[in-house]
Amino acid sequence: MLEAANINKSFDGTQVLNNISLEVDTGKILCIVGPSGAGKTTLLRIITGLEKADTGQFKIDGKAFDPESNTTNEAMIGVVFQDFRLFPHLNVLENITLAPQLALHQSKAEANAKAKEILTQLGLEDKADIYPFQLSGGQKQRVAIARALALNPKILCYDEPTSALDPGLRESVAQLIERLKAQGMTQIVVTHDMEFAQNIADKILTVKPNREA
Amino acid sequence: MDGVLKYMLEILPSLLQGTKLTLGLFAITLVLALPIGALVSLGLRSRFKPIQWILKFYVWLMRGTPLLLQLIFIFYGLPVLHIYFERFSAAGFAFVLNYAAYFAEIFRGGFQSVPEGQFEAARVLRLNYSQTIRKIVLPQVTKIVLPSVGNEVINLVKDSSLVYVIGLGDLLRAGNVAMVRDVTLVPLLMVGAIYLALTALFTYLLRKVEQHYSYYH
Ligand SMILES: Nc1ncnc2c1ncn2[C@@H]1O[C@H](COP(=O)(O)OP(=O)(O)OP(=O)(O)O)[C@@H](O)[C@H]1O
Ligand SMILES: [Mg+2]
């Protein structure tokens, strides 16, 4: 379970996030919605430690943690970026196994076995040896999900998981997220697609644009 | 014709001796200047301002003055301040300093063209700074900078002839000595041919390295 309270964030004197609080129960899906520029991505970047909040308290399973120095495996939060950000010089398998070897000190064999398992689960078992530029958008996204899952995160976050894909793939992303939920994964999904959110969410948080300058 | 061939065979050993020195300087410069250049380019991106200023000044100085002047300064100038270099060390020192500055500029451009998103992806995957640089950034930078580094490598083969001025027996000097002694152009033509062979060889090797990195785009 993730709890975040009183998150404030300004850029150059302009307040973007005004006292936001949120809560996600273990194994549930929280969708963060709101118009463009409201601060959804910023909120997600704060939760994942890529941006520092001006104020805010964070707890995972009741224990306080600092997303910016999120180093213990207990507090691990995985991210699937809107533009995936796969490593272009590494093949699919290497993309997935690099971090488990370097950050979790898994052996290569151990990391490979786990990665193959995840790839199979995501229907990518025949893609292990090819490079990101050879993948379709939907496949890239699944590799990005596999890469995040390989670190055994407690929570998985997505920024606009449907925006870079064909509308036809929307349903399959929803199914994938549901499937991970069935396995007990806690997930936070940023989207401006209200219908998509209502489809998958256990809870919806609306971020409103802040008009004060 | 026989006479020319015989003469060529006669002076070939001394030219090859000079080629050895040229290649020695070439190798030392590449092996040291490439990693130093990469480190300097990282320093140029440092958030610690004084480091940035010092390194910027260094790059500015090295790129803004002739390598020949730097060579003369180190070998003939520094002894005035009681700093003495043996000839080959002076040459190596000047070349490494000079080429590291050029490589630093090339690498700086290379680092800039790796998207910030790659650093962030590495960060959320909990790689530390040195892992991120070694495993994610440097391989991508290498591919980007290869053509420019290749140009410098070819320049280096030719620039090495500047050590002539501090009295080192490189390829050019060996040819010149033979020409003056025997009053013939043949040695200089041979020197030209050897330089051409060297640059052709390195151009070929560089193309091979570029091909090695062409497995993705
Ligand atoms: N690094 C930054 N520096 C300055 N301003 C920023 C920065 N990042 C975001 N902002 C500003 O914060 C506001 C919120 O941006 P954010 O990207 O979080 O919105 P969003 O809700 O994700 O929008 P969208 O739906 O278009 O993705 C915007 O006005 C943006 O210009
Ligand atoms: Mg956004």
Side-chain angles (χ1 to χ4, degrees):
Chain A
M1 170 173 179
L2 171 78
E3 298 161 86
N6 309 318
I7 300 175
N8 282 284
K9 177 71 185 173
S10 308
F11 288 111
D12 315 313
T14 306
Q15 185 144 29
V16 175
L17 297 176
N18 186 6
N19 234 27
I20 304 272
S21 296
L22 60 84
E23 229 181 84
V24 208
D25 287 327
T26 304
K28 300 289 185 193
I29 298 172
L30 170 72
C31 282
I32 300 175
V33 299
S36 182
K40 304 181 297 294
T41 296
T42 304
L43 179 57
L44 201 70
R45 288 173 59 81
I46 287 173
I47 294 169
T48 54
L50 289 170
E51 201 86 64
K52 193 166 174 51
D54 301 335
T55 70
Q57 294 86 45
F58 303 86
K59 280 186 198 165
I60 280 190
D61 299 335
K63 266 198 291 184
F65 82 107
D66 173 9
E68 263 226 307
S69 59
N70 171 11
T71 49
T72 64
N73 207 31
E74 270 72 23
M76 181 52 198
I77 298 180
V79 188
V80 178
F81 292 99
Q82 188 170 5
D83 53 355
F84 318 131
R85 302 185 183 179
L86 300 178
F87 303 127
H89 62 297
L90 301 180
N91 69 27
V92 166
L93 189 67
E94 292 163 342
N95 259 279
I96 299 169
T97 57
L98 182 72
Q101 291 178 71
L102 293 179
L104 303 184
H105 308 291
Q106 288 178 8
S107 72
K108 189 168 186 167
E110 195 182 349
N112 279 350
K114 174 97 195 282
K116 293 237 166 87
E117 204 177 288
I118 299 172
L119 282 174
T120 306
Q121 199 199 350
L122 299 183
L124 292 167
E125 58 276 16
D126 54 339
K127 303 282 183 265
D129 298 325
I130 66 175
Y131 286 85
F133 79 92
Q134 296 164 304
L135 297 170
S136 73
Q139 291 165 344
K140 279 183 194 157
Q141 182 177 60
R142 277 180 284 152
V143 172
I145 293 171
R147 186 175 70 171
L149 287 176
L151 283 178
N152 308 315
K154 286 220 149 166
I155 298 167
L156 192 52
C157 299
Y158 310 74
D159 193 2
E160 306 278 4
T162 57
S163 71
L165 303 181
D166 280 352
L169 286 174
R170 217 160 130 238
E171 194 48 39
S172 71
V173 178
Q175 279 169 9
L176 179 52
I177 291 174
E178 297 281 6
R179 198 134 57 86
L180 292 173
K181 177 183 167 177
Q183 295 169 12
M185 181 61 71
T186 309
Q187 298 173 90
I188 300 178
V189 182
V190 160
T191 180
H192 60 256
D193 182 342
M194 203 52 203
E195 199 190 320
F196 179 76
Q198 273 159 353
N199 246 328
I200 59 168
D202 294 300
K203 201 151 109 184
I204 293 183
L205 171 74
T206 307
V207 182
K208 294 194 179 62
N210 213 321
R211 293 273 168 245
E212 64 180 310
Chain B
M1 197 57 212
D2 255 14
V4 175
L5 213 61
K6 194 161 160 267
Y7 176 68
M8 284 169 73
L9 281 177
E10 240 173 62
I11 62 165
L12 192 60
S14 68
L15 294 189
L16 290 181
Q17 201 59 36
T19 307
K20 233 168 91 184
L21 187 134
T22 295
L23 285 178
L25 180 65
F26 173 85
I28 285 178
T29 306
L30 269 196
V31 166
L32 293 178
L34 276 173
I36 294 176
L39 286 177
V40 169
S41 72
L42 284 178
L44 285 168
R45 296 162 49 91
S46 156
R47 257 169 262 157
F48 185 58
K49 287 287 171 197
I51 292 227
Q52 251 194 44
W53 292 330
I54 292 168
L55 292 178
K56 265 190 187 159
F57 176 77
Y58 154 72
V59 170
W60 173 76
L61 190 68
M62 288 295 133
R63 303 206 323 151
T65 60
L67 175 53
L68 189 56
L69 172 66
Q70 294 159 19
L71 202 55
I72 292 173
F73 186 88
I74 288 173
F75 187 69
Y76 295 111
L78 287 184
V80 176
L81 305 172
H82 301 287
I83 300 170
Y84 302 93
F85 278 98
E86 181 257 319
R87 277 178 220 279
F88 190 77
S89 317
F93 193 60
F95 271 76
V96 169
L97 274 186
N98 181 278
Y99 269 82
Y102 280 92
F103 287 142
E105 270 304 291
I106 293 173
F107 277 105
R108 193 177 59 88
F111 278 112
Q112 265 169 3
S113 49
V114 175
E116 184 59 28
Q118 292 284 303
F119 288 86
E120 289 191 350
R123 172 124 181 254
V124 296
L125 290 168
R126 294 168 46 207
L127 306 195
N128 62 32
Y129 179 74
S130 114
Q131 291 168 339
T132 304
I133 295 295
R134 280 184 297 118
K135 301 289 187 178
I136 305 299
V137 181
L138 260 187
Q140 296 184 51
V141 168
T142 306
K143 180 184 168 80
I144 296 166
V145 301
L146 258 177
S148 319
V149 168
N151 270 334
E152 293 303 324
V153 168
I154 300 303
N155 277 337
L156 176 57
V157 175
K158 296 178 287 176
D159 271 357
S160 65
S161 63
L162 292 172
V163 298
Y164 182 88
V165 76
I166 62 170
L168 269 177
D170 75 321
L171 173 57
L172 179 62
R173 168 169 295 265
N176 198 36
V177 165
M179 178 197 71
V180 171
R181 184 189 59 214
D182 307 329
V183 201
T184 160
L185 279 180
V186 172
L188 287 194
L189 295 177
M190 287 173 75
V191 166
I194 294 178
Y195 275 118
L196 279 174
L198 290 180
T199 50
L201 171 68
F202 290 125
T203 306
Y204 171 78
L205 292 177
L206 285 162
R207 190 148 313 141
K208 283 279 157 209
V209 181
E210 276 181 43
Q211 273 168 17
H212 169 77
Y213 277 94
S214 66
Y215 66 88
Y216 76 93
H217 36 249

